[in-house]
Amino acid sequence: MKTIEDLKRLREQLKTQNNLRHEGGVQVIIGMGTCGIAAGARQVMTAVLEEIAKRKLEDVKVSQTGCIGMCEKEVLLDVVRPGEPRITYGRVTPADVPKIIAEHVVNGRIVAELAVGKITE
């Protein structure tokens, strides 16, 4: 940072990221226990925040949780849409994030090939 304008831009960027993690109707929850972190949960969290910011989605709350209990399926990411069941995605990579956000978070369509368990529609 070299100027006050650089500092102001950084402040706005961090403020936007903070809002993405604390406000909204749809929830995205990322398992950040030690097993999740070891499997790449931090990178998935970053990818989720970037994708939501890129799409300018304001009704999405991104949060983290501890161990979800399925360590062999890490990184685990849950999507909770109002009035719909919680869907858990397993073995999520940063490359999977745009598809999950576009299909499930935005359009309400479960990404069955990444979902943990049987999906009935």
Side-chain angles (χ1 to χ4, degrees), residues 44-56:
V44 170
M45 172 72 86
T46 299
V48 167
L49 292 171
E50 288 173 353
E51 188 68 21
I52 290 171
K54 182 175 92 175
R55 293 174 172 274
K56 296 182 170 87

Side-chain angles (χ1 to χ4, degrees), residues 30-32 35-45 74-75 92-94:
I30 300 161
M32 295 284 280
C35 51
I37 292 169
R42 285 189 176 123
Q43 292 84 358
V44 170
M45 172 72 86
E74 289 289 357
V75 172
V92 176
T93 67

Side-chain angles (χ1 to χ4, degrees), residues 6-110:
D6 291 341
L7 184 59
K8 287 179 182 177
R9 277 193 295 277
L10 178 60
R11 178 179 165 208
E12 287 306 311
Q13 178 185 4
L14 293 174
K15 188 175 172 182
T16 300
Q17 287 179 349
N18 192 42
N19 287 342
L20 288 174
R21 294 181 72 170
H22 293 49
E23 298 176 0
V26 177
Q27 293 182 338
V28 177
I29 306 163
I30 300 161
M32 295 284 280
T34 53
C35 51
I37 292 169
R42 285 189 176 123
Q43 292 84 358
V44 170
M45 172 72 86
T46 299
V48 167
L49 292 171
E50 288 173 353
E51 188 68 21
I52 290 171
K54 182 175 92 175
R55 293 174 172 274
K56 296 182 170 87
L57 301 176
E58 297 179 3
D59 62 340
V60 179
K61 175 184 175 187
V62 180
S63 60
Q64 62 187 42
T65 189
C67 183
I68 296 172
M70 296 184 282
C71 301
E72 73 282 357
K73 296 186 186 316
E74 289 289 357
V75 172
L76 293 164
L77 181 151
D78 291 354
V79 174
V80 185
R81 291 175 48 90
E84 297 178 11
R86 180 178 186 148
I87 301 297
T88 299
Y89 293 102
R91 296 187 179 93
V92 176
T93 67
D96 298 322
V97 169
K99 185 172 189 174
I100 293 170
I101 299 299
E103 292 296 317
H104 195 169
V105 173
V106 174
N107 294 311
R109 294 187 297 260
I110 297 168

